[in-house]
Amino acid sequence: MSEPRKEVQWFSEQMEAALKANDHKGGWYDCEEGWLLRRLSQELQELRQARTKGREAVIKECADIANFAMMIADNREKQWGYDERDKQPTPQEAR
């Protein structure tokens, strides 16, 4: 696989920073999809409000939206049995 675009790399770093800031919450592996979808919708509302608050607020909300979408996709990948991305154990297996 080729190197990600610099924009994708930068944004993934924003996503990771947001995830690390919330590590104390225990992850998304056991979250119901409906709850994740509601949180995604809430984050979209927060982005609409953040547009008047400046650059950092907008970036934070965009990363939050992307993270909830990633959580849904990641849980679905595991549900469908396609967690062969890196041949590494899933976070549940690593516990």
Side-chain angles (χ1 to χ4, degrees):
M1 179 178 213
S2 65
E3 291 294 315
R5 293 178 171 97
K6 65 181 180 177
E7 298 87 355
V8 173
Q9 181 64 41
W10 169 80
F11 192 66
S12 72
E13 291 167 3
Q14 308 308 305
M15 292 173 65
E16 181 62 23
L19 289 170
K20 283 186 178 184
N22 288 285
D23 274 349
H24 64 280
K25 295 181 181 178
W28 59 91
Y29 312 108
D30 297 322
C31 294
E32 292 182 12
E33 189 168 288
W35 183 85
L36 291 171
L37 285 166
R38 284 189 297 280
R39 289 293 294 122
L40 179 63
S41 180
Q42 290 169 354
E43 293 297 336
L44 185 56
Q45 286 297 105
E46 291 176 19
L47 174 59
R48 288 185 179 109
Q49 295 169 357
R51 294 181 302 163
T52 62
K53 296 179 182 174
R55 177 183 179 273
E56 293 298 319
V58 169
I59 292 169
K60 178 197 174 300
E61 296 307 331
C62 288
D64 288 346
I65 289 166
N67 279 331
F68 278 103
M70 178 278 300
M71 292 172 194
I72 293 166
D74 184 56
N75 283 349
R76 281 295 182 114
E77 281 289 276
K78 289 176 179 78
Q79 175 187 357
W80 292 326
Y82 289 104
D83 199 30
E84 298 290 324
R85 291 166 281 203
D86 294 306
K87 301 290 187 202
Q88 296 177 8
T90 65
Q92 290 137 333
E93 293 169 342
R95 290 185 205 169

